[in-house]
């Protein structure tokens, strides 16, 4: 009998146990793939917000944990505009506010009316952009407008004050389409943050010979800016990708995903270990016969490990499929739109298979050693 046929026969001989082991590994791998895909997708979508606006660098108050609480003087933008390599500087006031008809806070951005950020928005007919003569006007993202059941011309209550919806926009980014936008002045007045902004978004000149070197020098210049008294203002400047990666919410999401995944993998490995130990104990006489007819220890170990890896690889296949279904179903819930996005990347799939190897090795390593070290004479006497 061929070696692989022998392995498959052992697995199929106890179908229920093999299936239950595969299910356990599938759930563990599905948890890993789903959680990493969700957090990774959210990070990629967050980065694409800045990429869509052509933003190269973000400046906030140094040391703040919650970036929406970053408070900067609006006039600092003029100083940054004069620095070498800077094409344009856009000020943004960010906050999360309560909207009538929502169960939680809604992200709200305040932009100057001449901000280039508006260029990335597609205003759906019959709406329009914000105009200087507007008073208490707001733009709603397409997803947010749908969740609020609002259309152009309606009023929406924000922080107890009524604002007229003058436009509904579509940006192509599911996170941005869940936000609302108003003029910087209106949001400053609404949140009692006159002349304050949360961050500055910098776009570098296109003709720079060495963008990396220019960005590094610009970062130093910005962080060394001083006020009229000669004291450092206390700014933190980062490339937009680094800014997103260092966000506390995203870092916390990644940490929680890995912790949960580790727990799931430990449970899956214990299930695999239990299955393989029981399998070795039940086949003690069989292993003794194989040793007696000339099978070496390494071949016995290889047989048990191949069985373990077959179960774990099969579990990985079904786990990836299960994770894909879970992500698609979760993305359909209104509360998850904007937070759950995208499919499963090849990097995540490769990681899932590497983890399945680890599960197979942990679950099959000790049973393989135990089986290989059984003395043939004792194994043949085993009942």
């Amino acid at each position: 009998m061929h070696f692989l046929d022998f392995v498959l026969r052992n697995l199929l001989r106890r179908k229920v146990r093999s299936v239950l082991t595969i299910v356990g590994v599938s759930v563990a791998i599905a948890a890993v793939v789903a959680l990493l895909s969700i957090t990774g997708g959210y990070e990629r979508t967050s980065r694409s917000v800045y990429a869509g606006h052509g933003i190269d660098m973000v400046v906030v108050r140094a040391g703040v944990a919650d970036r929406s609480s970053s408070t900067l003087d609006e006039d600092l933008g003029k100083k940054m505009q004069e620095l070498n390599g800077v094409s344009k500087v856009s000020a943004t006031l960010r906050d999360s506010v309560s909207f009538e008809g929502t169960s939680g806070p809604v992200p709200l951005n305040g932009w100057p009316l001449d901000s280039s950020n508006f260029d990335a928005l597609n205003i759906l007919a019959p709406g329009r952009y914000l105009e200087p003569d507007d008073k208490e006007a707001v733009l709603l993202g397409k997803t947010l407008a749908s969740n609020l059941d609002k259309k152009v011309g309606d009023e929406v209550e924000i922080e107890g004050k009524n604002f007229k919806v003058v436009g509904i926009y579509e940006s192509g980014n599911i996170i941005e389409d869940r936000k609302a936008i108003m003029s910087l002045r209106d949001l400053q007045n609404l949140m009692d943050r006159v002349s304050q902004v949360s961050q500055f978004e910098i776009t570098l000149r296109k003709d720079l010979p060495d963008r990396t070197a220019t960005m590094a020098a610009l970062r130093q210049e910005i962080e060394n800016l001083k006020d009229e008294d000669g004291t450092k203002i206390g700014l933190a400047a980062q490339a937009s990708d680094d800014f997103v990666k260092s966000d506390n919410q995203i870092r916390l999401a990644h940490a929680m995903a890995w912790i949960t995944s580790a727990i799931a993998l430990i449970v899956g490995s214990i299930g695999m270990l239990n299955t393989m130990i029981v399998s070795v104990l039940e086949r003690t006489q069989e292993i003794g016969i194989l040793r007696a007819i000339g099978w070496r220890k390494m071949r016995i170990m290889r047989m048990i490990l191949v069985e373990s890896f077959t179960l774990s690889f099969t579990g990985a296949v079904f786990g990836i499929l299960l994770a894909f279904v879970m992500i698609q179903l979760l993305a359909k819930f209104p509360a998850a739109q904007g937070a759950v996005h995208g499919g499963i990347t090849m990097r995540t799939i490769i990681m899932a298979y590497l983890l399945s190897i680890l599960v197979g090795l942990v679950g099959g390593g000790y049973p393989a050693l135990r089986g290989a070290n059984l003395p043939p004479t004792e194994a043949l006497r085993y009942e």
Side-chain angles (χ1 to χ4, degrees):
M1 181 181 291
H2 193 274
F3 180 79
L4 291 179
D5 293 335
F6 193 83
V7 169
L8 290 175
R9 191 198 68 175
N10 290 333
L11 293 175
L12 295 175
R13 189 163 48 186
R14 296 166 179 81
K15 296 183 180 66
V16 174
R17 189 165 65 200
S18 296
V19 169
L20 290 177
T21 304
I22 290 172
V23 169
V25 175
S26 297
V27 172
I29 295 296
V32 175
V33 173
L35 289 170
L36 294 183
S37 295
I38 289 171
T39 54
Y42 186 78
E43 181 181 329
R44 289 191 299 274
T45 305
S46 298
R47 288 203 303 265
S48 69
V49 171
Y50 292 100
H53 293 289
I55 297 167
D56 297 302
M57 181 176 286
V58 183
V59 181
V60 295
R61 174 70 64 183
V64 293
D66 182 3
R67 287 166 175 174
S68 63
S69 66
S70 169
T71 301
L72 299 172
D73 191 318
E74 187 179 349
D75 291 335
L76 284 174
K78 298 175 182 177
K79 290 185 177 182
M80 296 181 198
Q81 186 67 61
E82 298 172 354
L83 298 178
N84 181 49
V86 174
S87 173
K88 55 188 174 184
V89 178
S90 299
T92 294
L93 179 59
R94 300 170 56 190
D95 218 316
S96 294
V97 299
S98 60
F99 274 57
E100 177 189 13
T102 59
S103 58
V106 174
L108 177 59
N109 284 344
W111 294 341
L113 296 182
D114 60 353
S115 173
S116 59
N117 287 333
F118 286 106
D119 297 339
L121 306 182
N122 176 33
I123 302 296
L124 304 179
R128 60 174 175 80
Y129 290 99
L130 298 171
E131 296 178 352
D133 295 334
D134 286 331
K135 292 184 178 180
E136 298 173 355
V138 66
L139 301 177
L140 300 181
K142 181 181 178 181
T143 303
L144 177 60
S146 176
N147 292 342
L148 295 174
D149 193 23
K150 297 293 183 181
K151 60 183 183 299
V152 174
D154 291 345
E155 288 192 341
V156 59
E157 184 179 314
I158 307 174
E159 292 290 312
K161 195 171 184 178
N162 288 329
F163 285 78
K164 183 179 179 181
V165 179
V166 298
I168 295 174
Y169 67 85
E170 185 176 33
S171 67
N173 185 288
I174 60 175
I175 292 180
E176 195 155 43
D177 287 348
R178 291 194 63 182
K179 296 180 179 180
I181 299 168
M182 63 175 60
S183 72
L184 178 60
R185 290 289 173 265
D186 279 348
L187 185 55
Q188 286 173 336
N189 292 331
L190 178 67
M191 306 308 295
D192 195 23
R193 297 176 67 176
V194 177
S195 299
Q196 295 179 358
V197 297
S198 302
Q199 63 189 47
F200 292 98
E201 295 148 357
I202 297 175
T203 301
L204 301 181
R205 294 204 322 264
K206 302 294 184 185
D207 59 348
L208 294 175
D210 188 344
R211 295 176 67 85
T212 303
T214 301
M215 188 174 292
L218 181 60
R219 178 178 179 179
Q220 289 294 322
E221 286 187 82
I222 291 173
E223 294 182 349
N224 288 327
L225 284 176
K226 298 179 180 179
D227 58 20
E228 295 178 353
D229 297 328
T231 304
K232 277 191 179 181
I233 298 172
L235 303 176
Q238 288 180 293
S240 55
D241 282 357
D242 294 334
F243 180 76
V244 171
K245 288 179 182 178
S246 63
D247 183 83
N248 281 342
Q249 291 182 342
I250 291 178
R251 292 170 65 183
L252 179 61
H254 280 302
M256 292 301 297
W258 274 112
I259 291 171
T260 306
S261 299
I263 294 172
L265 287 171
I266 291 172
V267 173
S269 298
I270 292 173
M272 178 69 74
L273 179 61
N274 178 69
T275 294
M276 297 312 299
I277 286 178
V278 172
S279 176
V280 169
L281 292 176
E282 289 180 347
R283 293 154 55 198
T284 299
Q285 278 191 331
E286 178 184 308
I287 293 172
I289 293 172
L290 293 174
R291 292 280 286 119
I293 63 175
W295 277 42
R296 296 182 180 275
K297 289 184 178 182
M298 285 302 299
R299 196 172 190 191
I300 296 292
M301 289 184 63
R302 190 163 68 248
M303 177 187 71
I304 297 171
L305 285 173
V306 169
E307 291 177 16
S308 178
F309 287 141
T310 300
L311 292 173
S312 62
F313 282 176
T314 305
V317 172
F318 286 105
I320 292 169
L321 293 175
L322 178 60
F324 178 79
V325 173
M326 288 168 56
I327 292 171
Q328 298 305 314
L329 291 176
L330 189 58
K332 294 182 184 297
F333 286 93
Q337 292 178 1
V340 178
H341 164 63
I344 301 171
T345 63
M346 183 56 65
R347 178 182 178 184
T348 305
I349 292 174
I350 293 173
M351 185 176 296
Y353 279 111
L354 291 176
L355 290 173
S356 73
I357 293 175
L358 179 62
V359 170
L361 185 60
V362 171
Y366 172 71
L369 286 171
R370 181 185 175 92
N373 289 317
L374 281 173
T377 52
E378 290 186 20
L380 288 171
R381 291 198 301 265
Y382 184 86
E383 295 183 2

